[in-house]
Amino acid sequence: VSPLLNAYCMGVKVTSQLVRSIILNGSVSQEEDFLPHTSGLPIDEFSSTAHQSCINALESLEEVLQTRRNDQGSTFGPCAVGDEDSPALIARLRFRRLLMLGLVAVRTGGGVNVNAAGRWFAGAAAELKHISSTPANGEQLVGFDPDVNRSRVSPTPPRPVKLKTREDCQECFATLLQQLSYACQVTAINGFTDLRMYITNFSLMGPGPIATSALHGLLKLKFGDGNALQQMLLVDFACG
């Protein structure tokens, strides 16, 4: 198996583990559409060792591709990477790595981690724009046929399974990154009035379960047992 393909597939798998862990930690579901406690495909639990080794593999491949961009062709296992394909591959590897770094920082929490997560999400958004400008090879890829994937989805109420187009997927990722970046700003909130306005603005973004769970988890880390929130209320009341 090509190291390039293997690293990217592992990146997708570890990202799925991270997303599942964030949603379980935040305990935010949308009706019957996403109930990870009772249904879903079997996914390994989040592991700090697994995600770090995957991030290292993605970064190493980025560096190799960067150094070989001017070569006539670079070989990764059975796959040859031409010079014209290198920028597109680098953008995808970097996007996946930055997204994973941001999700790990959100999951582990802490002021420094969350501030770094915001920067990583911004970097991932920049790489996503680069990906959007690169051509896609092939219209229908093997393994992504709707009829094939319909039998692989997790148990859900009967409904048609529609795969998104490339453009729709990129738009979904861009929206998710924007929402996650905004969720990371919660660490700068120091007053109850500001917190109320912040949550109102967040809800107006129409966030999905991933961003909402991320914010819920960060709020739990910031306010813990509620004493910090109670102090904010008292300060605002005294100043009000």
Side-chain angles (χ1 to χ4, degrees), residues 68-131:
R68 298 185 180 183
R69 278 186 63 176
N70 295 325
D71 294 347
Q72 294 298 319
S74 303
T75 302
F76 291 87
C79 298
V81 179
D83 184 54
E84 68 280 1
D85 295 324
S86 292
L89 291 171
I90 291 171
R92 284 159 174 78
L93 291 171
R94 189 171 294 154
F95 167 79
R96 182 62 56 180
R97 179 175 60 84
L98 292 171
L99 176 62
M100 288 176 58
L101 284 168
L103 291 174
V104 170
V106 167
R107 180 62 184 88
T108 54
V112 176
N113 287 343
V114 176
N115 291 335
R119 295 193 297 271
W120 282 320
F121 289 140
E127 293 302 325
L128 186 62
K129 292 180 180 179
H130 190 185
I131 292 173

Short mmCIF file of all heavy atoms in Angstrom, two decimals, residues 68-131:
data_model
loop_
_atom_site.label_atom_id
_atom_site.label_comp_id
_atom_site.label_asym_id
_atom_site.label_seq_id
_atom_site.Cartn_x
_atom_site.Cartn_y
_atom_site.Cartn_z
N ARG A 68 10.49 17.21 -3.05
CA ARG A 68 10.52 16.57 -4.37
C ARG A 68 9.62 17.24 -5.40
O ARG A 68 9.39 16.70 -6.47
CB ARG A 68 10.11 15.10 -4.23
CG ARG A 68 11.04 14.29 -3.36
CD ARG A 68 10.65 12.82 -3.37
NE ARG A 68 11.54 12.03 -2.52
CZ ARG A 68 11.45 10.71 -2.39
NH1 ARG A 68 10.54 10.04 -3.05
NH2 ARG A 68 12.28 10.07 -1.59
N ARG A 69 9.09 18.39 -5.06
CA ARG A 69 8.14 19.05 -5.97
C ARG A 69 8.76 19.35 -7.33
O ARG A 69 8.08 19.34 -8.35
CB ARG A 69 7.62 20.35 -5.36
CG ARG A 69 6.50 20.15 -4.39
CD ARG A 69 5.94 21.46 -3.91
NE ARG A 69 5.36 22.23 -5.01
CZ ARG A 69 4.73 23.39 -4.85
NH1 ARG A 69 4.63 23.92 -3.64
NH2 ARG A 69 4.23 24.03 -5.88
N ASN A 70 10.05 19.61 -7.35
CA ASN A 70 10.70 19.98 -8.60
C ASN A 70 11.26 18.77 -9.36
O ASN A 70 11.84 18.93 -10.43
CB ASN A 70 11.83 20.97 -8.34
CG ASN A 70 11.30 22.28 -7.79
OD1 ASN A 70 10.22 22.72 -8.17
ND2 ASN A 70 12.06 22.90 -6.90
N ASP A 71 11.07 17.57 -8.78
CA ASP A 71 11.53 16.37 -9.48
C ASP A 71 10.56 16.03 -10.60
O ASP A 71 9.41 16.45 -10.62
CB ASP A 71 11.62 15.18 -8.51
CG ASP A 71 12.71 15.40 -7.47
OD1 ASP A 71 13.52 16.33 -7.67
OD2 ASP A 71 12.75 14.66 -6.48
N GLN A 72 11.01 15.22 -11.53
CA GLN A 72 10.15 14.78 -12.62
C GLN A 72 9.04 13.89 -12.11
O GLN A 72 7.94 13.88 -12.63
CB GLN A 72 10.98 14.03 -13.67
CG GLN A 72 11.98 14.92 -14.38
CD GLN A 72 11.28 16.02 -15.15
OE1 GLN A 72 10.25 15.80 -15.78
NE2 GLN A 72 11.84 17.23 -15.11
N GLY A 73 9.29 13.13 -11.08
CA GLY A 73 8.28 12.25 -10.49
C GLY A 73 8.79 11.69 -9.19
O GLY A 73 9.96 11.37 -9.07
N SER A 74 7.93 11.62 -8.21
CA SER A 74 8.32 11.09 -6.91
C SER A 74 7.54 9.81 -6.66
O SER A 74 6.35 9.74 -6.93
CB SER A 74 7.99 12.11 -5.80
OG SER A 74 8.63 13.33 -6.08
N THR A 75 8.22 8.82 -6.15
CA THR A 75 7.59 7.52 -5.97
C THR A 75 7.31 7.26 -4.50
O THR A 75 8.19 7.39 -3.66
CB THR A 75 8.49 6.41 -6.52
OG1 THR A 75 8.74 6.68 -7.90
CG2 THR A 75 7.81 5.06 -6.38
N PHE A 76 6.06 6.90 -4.21
CA PHE A 76 5.67 6.49 -2.87
C PHE A 76 5.09 5.09 -3.00
O PHE A 76 3.94 4.92 -3.41
CB PHE A 76 4.61 7.43 -2.29
CG PHE A 76 5.15 8.79 -1.97
CD1 PHE A 76 5.18 9.78 -2.93
CD2 PHE A 76 5.64 9.07 -0.71
CE1 PHE A 76 5.67 11.03 -2.63
CE2 PHE A 76 6.13 10.32 -0.41
CZ PHE A 76 6.15 11.31 -1.37
N GLY A 77 5.88 4.08 -2.69
CA GLY A 77 5.40 2.72 -2.85
C GLY A 77 5.06 2.49 -4.32
O GLY A 77 5.83 2.83 -5.21
N PRO A 78 3.88 1.94 -4.60
CA PRO A 78 3.50 1.67 -5.98
C PRO A 78 2.96 2.88 -6.72
O PRO A 78 2.65 2.79 -7.89
CB PRO A 78 2.40 0.62 -5.82
CG PRO A 78 1.79 0.93 -4.50
CD PRO A 78 2.91 1.42 -3.64
N CYS A 79 2.82 4.03 -6.02
CA CYS A 79 2.21 5.20 -6.65
C CYS A 79 3.26 6.23 -7.02
O CYS A 79 4.15 6.54 -6.23
CB CYS A 79 1.18 5.84 -5.72
SG CYS A 79 -0.18 4.74 -5.30
N ALA A 80 3.17 6.76 -8.20
CA ALA A 80 4.06 7.83 -8.63
C ALA A 80 3.33 9.15 -8.52
O ALA A 80 2.18 9.28 -8.94
CB ALA A 80 4.51 7.60 -10.07
N VAL A 81 4.00 10.15 -7.94
CA VAL A 81 3.41 11.47 -7.76
C VAL A 81 4.13 12.43 -8.67
O VAL A 81 5.32 12.70 -8.49
CB VAL A 81 3.52 11.93 -6.29
CG1 VAL A 81 2.93 13.32 -6.14
CG2 VAL A 81 2.83 10.94 -5.39
N GLY A 82 3.43 12.93 -9.66
CA GLY A 82 4.04 13.87 -10.58
C GLY A 82 4.13 15.26 -9.98
O GLY A 82 3.45 15.59 -9.01
N ASP A 83 4.96 16.08 -10.59
CA ASP A 83 5.17 17.43 -10.08
C ASP A 83 3.88 18.24 -10.10
O ASP A 83 3.64 19.07 -9.23
CB ASP A 83 6.24 18.13 -10.92
CG ASP A 83 6.59 19.50 -10.38
OD1 ASP A 83 6.92 19.59 -9.18
OD2 ASP A 83 6.50 20.48 -11.14
N GLU A 84 3.02 17.99 -11.11
CA GLU A 84 1.78 18.76 -11.21
C GLU A 84 0.78 18.38 -10.12
O GLU A 84 -0.13 19.16 -9.81
CB GLU A 84 1.15 18.55 -12.60
CG GLU A 84 0.61 17.15 -12.86
CD GLU A 84 1.68 16.15 -13.26
OE1 GLU A 84 2.86 16.55 -13.32
OE2 GLU A 84 1.33 14.98 -13.50
N ASP A 85 0.93 17.19 -9.53
CA ASP A 85 0.00 16.75 -8.49
C ASP A 85 0.47 17.11 -7.08
O ASP A 85 -0.32 17.06 -6.14
CB ASP A 85 -0.19 15.23 -8.56
CG ASP A 85 -0.87 14.80 -9.85
OD1 ASP A 85 -1.74 15.54 -10.33
OD2 ASP A 85 -0.52 13.72 -10.36
N SER A 86 1.73 17.44 -6.93
CA SER A 86 2.28 17.66 -5.59
C SER A 86 1.57 18.77 -4.81
O SER A 86 1.23 18.57 -3.64
CB SER A 86 3.78 17.97 -5.69
OG SER A 86 4.49 16.84 -6.12
N PRO A 87 1.31 19.95 -5.40
CA PRO A 87 0.64 21.00 -4.62
C PRO A 87 -0.72 20.57 -4.10
O PRO A 87 -1.08 20.88 -2.96
CB PRO A 87 0.52 22.16 -5.62
CG PRO A 87 1.61 21.92 -6.61
CD PRO A 87 1.71 20.44 -6.74
N ALA A 88 -1.48 19.85 -4.93
CA ALA A 88 -2.81 19.40 -4.50
C ALA A 88 -2.70 18.39 -3.36
O ALA A 88 -3.47 18.44 -2.39
CB ALA A 88 -3.56 18.78 -5.68
N LEU A 89 -1.74 17.48 -3.45
CA LEU A 89 -1.56 16.48 -2.40
C LEU A 89 -1.07 17.12 -1.11
O LEU A 89 -1.51 16.76 -0.01
CB LEU A 89 -0.58 15.40 -2.87
CG LEU A 89 -1.09 14.50 -4.00
CD1 LEU A 89 0.05 13.62 -4.52
CD2 LEU A 89 -2.24 13.63 -3.51
N ILE A 90 -0.14 18.06 -1.23
CA ILE A 90 0.38 18.74 -0.04
C ILE A 90 -0.74 19.48 0.67
O ILE A 90 -0.85 19.44 1.90
CB ILE A 90 1.51 19.71 -0.43
CG1 ILE A 90 2.74 18.93 -0.89
CG2 ILE A 90 1.87 20.62 0.74
CD1 ILE A 90 3.83 19.79 -1.50
N ALA A 91 -1.60 20.15 -0.09
CA ALA A 91 -2.71 20.89 0.51
C ALA A 91 -3.65 19.96 1.26
O ALA A 91 -4.12 20.28 2.36
CB ALA A 91 -3.48 21.66 -0.57
N ARG A 92 -3.91 18.79 0.70
CA ARG A 92 -4.82 17.85 1.35
C ARG A 92 -4.21 17.24 2.61
O ARG A 92 -4.89 17.07 3.62
CB ARG A 92 -5.23 16.76 0.35
CG ARG A 92 -6.26 17.25 -0.66
CD ARG A 92 -6.28 16.40 -1.92
NE ARG A 92 -7.36 16.80 -2.82
CZ ARG A 92 -7.31 17.87 -3.61
NH1 ARG A 92 -6.23 18.65 -3.61
NH2 ARG A 92 -8.33 18.17 -4.39
N LEU A 93 -2.93 16.91 2.53
CA LEU A 93 -2.25 16.37 3.71
C LEU A 93 -2.19 17.42 4.82
O LEU A 93 -2.44 17.13 6.00
CB LEU A 93 -0.84 15.92 3.35
CG LEU A 93 -0.72 14.69 2.45
CD1 LEU A 93 0.73 14.50 2.01
CD2 LEU A 93 -1.21 13.44 3.18
N ARG A 94 -1.86 18.65 4.44
CA ARG A 94 -1.75 19.72 5.43
C ARG A 94 -3.11 20.05 6.04
O ARG A 94 -3.22 20.29 7.24
CB ARG A 94 -1.14 20.95 4.78
CG ARG A 94 -0.77 22.06 5.77
CD ARG A 94 0.03 23.13 5.05
NE ARG A 94 1.31 22.61 4.61
CZ ARG A 94 1.99 23.09 3.57
NH1 ARG A 94 1.48 24.08 2.84
NH2 ARG A 94 3.16 22.59 3.24
N PHE A 95 -4.16 20.06 5.21
CA PHE A 95 -5.50 20.31 5.71
C PHE A 95 -5.89 19.26 6.75
O PHE A 95 -6.39 19.58 7.83
CB PHE A 95 -6.51 20.30 4.56
CG PHE A 95 -7.95 20.25 5.01
CD1 PHE A 95 -8.58 21.39 5.47
CD2 PHE A 95 -8.65 19.06 4.99
CE1 PHE A 95 -9.90 21.35 5.91
CE2 PHE A 95 -9.97 19.00 5.42
CZ PHE A 95 -10.59 20.14 5.88
N ARG A 96 -5.66 18.00 6.41
CA ARG A 96 -6.02 16.93 7.34
C ARG A 96 -5.23 17.03 8.63
O ARG A 96 -5.78 16.84 9.73
CB ARG A 96 -5.77 15.58 6.66
CG ARG A 96 -6.13 14.37 7.47
CD ARG A 96 -7.60 14.30 7.80
NE ARG A 96 -8.45 14.35 6.61
CZ ARG A 96 -9.78 14.31 6.66
NH1 ARG A 96 -10.39 14.23 7.83
NH2 ARG A 96 -10.48 14.37 5.55
N ARG A 97 -3.94 17.35 8.53
CA ARG A 97 -3.10 17.45 9.73
C ARG A 97 -3.54 18.62 10.61
O ARG A 97 -3.66 18.48 11.84
CB ARG A 97 -1.64 17.62 9.33
CG ARG A 97 -0.68 17.75 10.51
CD ARG A 97 0.77 17.78 10.05
NE ARG A 97 1.05 18.89 9.17
CZ ARG A 97 1.34 20.13 9.60
NH1 ARG A 97 1.37 20.40 10.90
NH2 ARG A 97 1.61 21.09 8.74
N LEU A 98 -3.79 19.79 10.02
CA LEU A 98 -4.19 20.95 10.81
C LEU A 98 -5.57 20.74 11.45
O LEU A 98 -5.80 21.15 12.59
CB LEU A 98 -4.20 22.20 9.92
CG LEU A 98 -2.83 22.67 9.44
CD1 LEU A 98 -2.98 23.78 8.40
CD2 LEU A 98 -1.98 23.15 10.60
N LEU A 99 -6.47 20.10 10.71
CA LEU A 99 -7.78 19.80 11.27
C LEU A 99 -7.65 18.88 12.48
O LEU A 99 -8.28 19.10 13.52
CB LEU A 99 -8.67 19.16 10.21
CG LEU A 99 -10.06 18.69 10.67
CD1 LEU A 99 -10.89 19.87 11.17
CD2 LEU A 99 -10.78 17.96 9.54
N MET A 100 -6.81 17.86 12.36
CA MET A 100 -6.61 16.93 13.47
C MET A 100 -5.99 17.64 14.67
O MET A 100 -6.40 17.42 15.82
CB MET A 100 -5.72 15.77 13.02
CG MET A 100 -6.41 14.79 12.09
SD MET A 100 -5.26 13.51 11.50
CE MET A 100 -4.73 12.81 13.06
N LEU A 101 -5.00 18.49 14.43
CA LEU A 101 -4.36 19.21 15.53
C LEU A 101 -5.37 20.08 16.27
O LEU A 101 -5.38 20.14 17.50
CB LEU A 101 -3.22 20.08 14.99
CG LEU A 101 -1.93 19.35 14.60
CD1 LEU A 101 -1.00 20.28 13.82
CD2 LEU A 101 -1.22 18.82 15.85
N GLY A 102 -6.23 20.75 15.51
CA GLY A 102 -7.25 21.59 16.14
C GLY A 102 -8.24 20.77 16.95
O GLY A 102 -8.60 21.15 18.07
N LEU A 103 -8.68 19.65 16.41
CA LEU A 103 -9.64 18.80 17.12
C LEU A 103 -9.03 18.21 18.39
O LEU A 103 -9.70 18.12 19.42
CB LEU A 103 -10.13 17.68 16.20
CG LEU A 103 -11.01 18.11 15.02
CD1 LEU A 103 -11.29 16.93 14.11
CD2 LEU A 103 -12.32 18.73 15.51
N VAL A 104 -7.76 17.82 18.31
CA VAL A 104 -7.09 17.30 19.51
C VAL A 104 -7.02 18.37 20.59
O VAL A 104 -7.27 18.11 21.78
CB VAL A 104 -5.67 16.79 19.16
CG1 VAL A 104 -4.88 16.49 20.43
CG2 VAL A 104 -5.75 15.55 18.29
N ALA A 105 -6.68 19.60 20.19
CA ALA A 105 -6.58 20.69 21.15
C ALA A 105 -7.93 20.98 21.80
O ALA A 105 -8.02 21.24 23.00
CB ALA A 105 -6.04 21.94 20.47
N VAL A 106 -8.99 20.93 21.01
CA VAL A 106 -10.33 21.15 21.56
C VAL A 106 -10.71 20.03 22.52
O VAL A 106 -11.29 20.26 23.58
CB VAL A 106 -11.37 21.25 20.41
CG1 VAL A 106 -12.79 21.15 20.95
CG2 VAL A 106 -11.19 22.56 19.66
N ARG A 107 -10.37 18.81 22.14
CA ARG A 107 -10.74 17.66 22.98
C ARG A 107 -10.00 17.66 24.30
O ARG A 107 -10.57 17.36 25.35
CB ARG A 107 -10.46 16.35 22.23
CG ARG A 107 -10.82 15.09 23.02
CD ARG A 107 -12.30 15.05 23.32
NE ARG A 107 -12.64 13.91 24.17
CZ ARG A 107 -12.62 13.92 25.50
NH1 ARG A 107 -12.24 15.02 26.15
NH2 ARG A 107 -12.96 12.85 26.18
N THR A 108 -8.72 18.01 24.29
CA THR A 108 -7.93 17.99 25.51
C THR A 108 -8.15 19.24 26.35
O THR A 108 -7.95 19.22 27.57
CB THR A 108 -6.44 17.83 25.19
OG1 THR A 108 -6.04 18.85 24.27
CG2 THR A 108 -6.18 16.47 24.56
N GLY A 109 -8.54 20.35 25.71
CA GLY A 109 -8.88 21.57 26.44
C GLY A 109 -7.67 22.29 27.00
O GLY A 109 -6.52 21.98 26.69
N GLY A 110 -7.95 23.28 27.83
CA GLY A 110 -6.88 24.11 28.38
C GLY A 110 -6.73 25.38 27.56
O GLY A 110 -6.87 25.36 26.33
N GLY A 111 -6.45 26.50 28.22
CA GLY A 111 -6.39 27.78 27.53
C GLY A 111 -5.40 27.82 26.39
O GLY A 111 -5.71 28.28 25.29
N VAL A 112 -4.19 27.31 26.63
CA VAL A 112 -3.15 27.33 25.59
C VAL A 112 -3.57 26.46 24.42
O VAL A 112 -3.43 26.84 23.25
CB VAL A 112 -1.80 26.87 26.17
CG1 VAL A 112 -0.76 26.79 25.06
CG2 VAL A 112 -1.34 27.81 27.27
N ASN A 113 -4.09 25.27 24.72
CA ASN A 113 -4.51 24.36 23.66
C ASN A 113 -5.62 24.96 22.80
O ASN A 113 -5.61 24.85 21.58
CB ASN A 113 -5.00 23.04 24.26
CG ASN A 113 -3.87 22.19 24.79
OD1 ASN A 113 -2.72 22.40 24.44
ND2 ASN A 113 -4.19 21.23 25.63
N VAL A 114 -6.60 25.58 23.46
CA VAL A 114 -7.73 26.13 22.72
C VAL A 114 -7.30 27.31 21.85
O VAL A 114 -7.76 27.46 20.71
CB VAL A 114 -8.85 26.55 23.70
CG1 VAL A 114 -10.00 27.22 22.95
CG2 VAL A 114 -9.36 25.34 24.46
N ASN A 115 -6.41 28.14 22.35
CA ASN A 115 -5.91 29.25 21.53
C ASN A 115 -5.16 28.72 20.31
O ASN A 115 -5.28 29.26 19.21
CB ASN A 115 -4.99 30.14 22.37
CG ASN A 115 -5.74 30.92 23.43
OD1 ASN A 115 -6.93 31.17 23.28
ND2 ASN A 115 -5.06 31.29 24.50
N ALA A 116 -4.39 27.66 20.52
CA ALA A 116 -3.68 27.04 19.39
C ALA A 116 -4.66 26.43 18.41
O ALA A 116 -4.45 26.48 17.19
CB ALA A 116 -2.70 25.99 19.91
N ALA A 117 -5.75 25.86 18.92
CA ALA A 117 -6.76 25.25 18.06
C ALA A 117 -7.33 26.27 17.09
O ALA A 117 -7.54 25.97 15.91
CB ALA A 117 -7.87 24.63 18.90
N GLY A 118 -7.58 27.47 17.57
CA GLY A 118 -8.10 28.52 16.69
C GLY A 118 -7.16 28.81 15.54
O GLY A 118 -7.60 28.99 14.39
N ARG A 119 -5.87 28.83 15.82
CA ARG A 119 -4.88 29.08 14.76
C ARG A 119 -4.83 27.91 13.77
O ARG A 119 -4.70 28.11 12.56
CB ARG A 119 -3.50 29.32 15.37
CG ARG A 119 -3.42 30.58 16.22
CD ARG A 119 -1.97 30.93 16.55
NE ARG A 119 -1.32 29.89 17.34
CZ ARG A 119 -1.34 29.86 18.67
NH1 ARG A 119 -1.98 30.80 19.35
NH2 ARG A 119 -0.70 28.90 19.33
N TRP A 120 -4.92 26.70 14.29
CA TRP A 120 -4.89 25.53 13.41
C TRP A 120 -6.13 25.46 12.53
O TRP A 120 -6.03 25.10 11.35
CB TRP A 120 -4.73 24.26 14.24
CG TRP A 120 -3.33 24.04 14.72
CD1 TRP A 120 -2.18 24.26 14.01
CD2 TRP A 120 -2.91 23.57 16.01
NE1 TRP A 120 -1.07 23.96 14.78
CE2 TRP A 120 -1.49 23.53 16.01
CE3 TRP A 120 -3.59 23.18 17.16
CZ2 TRP A 120 -0.75 23.11 17.11
CZ3 TRP A 120 -2.86 22.76 18.26
CH2 TRP A 120 -1.45 22.73 18.23
N PHE A 121 -7.28 25.80 13.08
CA PHE A 121 -8.49 25.80 12.27
C PHE A 121 -8.40 26.87 11.17
O PHE A 121 -8.86 26.65 10.05
CB PHE A 121 -9.72 26.05 13.14
CG PHE A 121 -10.08 24.89 14.02
CD1 PHE A 121 -10.51 25.10 15.33
CD2 PHE A 121 -9.99 23.59 13.56
CE1 PHE A 121 -10.85 24.03 16.15
CE2 PHE A 121 -10.32 22.50 14.37
CZ PHE A 121 -10.75 22.73 15.67
N ALA A 122 -7.81 28.01 11.50
CA ALA A 122 -7.63 29.06 10.49
C ALA A 122 -6.69 28.58 9.39
O ALA A 122 -6.91 28.84 8.20
CB ALA A 122 -7.08 30.33 11.14
N GLY A 123 -5.63 27.86 9.78
CA GLY A 123 -4.72 27.31 8.78
C GLY A 123 -5.39 26.27 7.91
O GLY A 123 -5.16 26.21 6.69
N ALA A 124 -6.24 25.44 8.52
CA ALA A 124 -6.98 24.43 7.75
C ALA A 124 -7.92 25.09 6.76
O ALA A 124 -8.09 24.62 5.63
CB ALA A 124 -7.75 23.51 8.70
N ALA A 125 -8.55 26.20 7.17
CA ALA A 125 -9.45 26.93 6.27
C ALA A 125 -8.68 27.47 5.06
O ALA A 125 -9.18 27.46 3.93
CB ALA A 125 -10.14 28.06 7.02
N ALA A 126 -7.46 27.94 5.29
CA ALA A 126 -6.63 28.44 4.19
C ALA A 126 -6.27 27.31 3.23
O ALA A 126 -6.29 27.49 2.00
CB ALA A 126 -5.37 29.10 4.74
N GLU A 127 -5.94 26.15 3.77
CA GLU A 127 -5.62 25.00 2.92
C GLU A 127 -6.85 24.52 2.16
O GLU A 127 -6.74 24.04 1.03
CB GLU A 127 -5.05 23.86 3.76
CG GLU A 127 -3.69 24.14 4.36
CD GLU A 127 -2.64 24.49 3.31
OE1 GLU A 127 -2.69 23.91 2.20
OE2 GLU A 127 -1.78 25.34 3.60
N LEU A 128 -8.02 24.65 2.77
CA LEU A 128 -9.26 24.25 2.09
C LEU A 128 -9.49 25.10 0.85
O LEU A 128 -9.94 24.60 -0.18
CB LEU A 128 -10.44 24.37 3.05
CG LEU A 128 -11.78 23.85 2.55
CD1 LEU A 128 -11.71 22.35 2.25
CD2 LEU A 128 -12.88 24.13 3.57
N LYS A 129 -9.18 26.38 0.94
CA LYS A 129 -9.30 27.25 -0.24
C LYS A 129 -8.33 26.81 -1.34
O LYS A 129 -8.65 26.85 -2.53
CB LYS A 129 -9.02 28.70 0.15
CG LYS A 129 -10.09 29.31 1.06
CD LYS A 129 -9.75 30.76 1.41
CE LYS A 129 -10.83 31.36 2.30
NZ LYS A 129 -10.51 32.76 2.68
N HIS A 130 -7.14 26.38 -0.91
CA HIS A 130 -6.17 25.88 -1.88
C HIS A 130 -6.68 24.61 -2.53
O HIS A 130 -6.55 24.41 -3.74
CB HIS A 130 -4.83 25.63 -1.18
CG HIS A 130 -3.71 25.33 -2.12
ND1 HIS A 130 -2.45 24.98 -1.70
CD2 HIS A 130 -3.65 25.32 -3.49
CE1 HIS A 130 -1.67 24.77 -2.75
NE2 HIS A 130 -2.38 24.96 -3.84
N ILE A 131 -7.28 23.72 -1.73
CA ILE A 131 -7.84 22.48 -2.27
C ILE A 131 -8.92 22.79 -3.29
O ILE A 131 -9.03 22.14 -4.34
CB ILE A 131 -8.40 21.61 -1.13
CG1 ILE A 131 -7.26 21.09 -0.25
CG2 ILE A 131 -9.22 20.44 -1.68
CD1 ILE A 131 -7.73 20.37 1.00
#
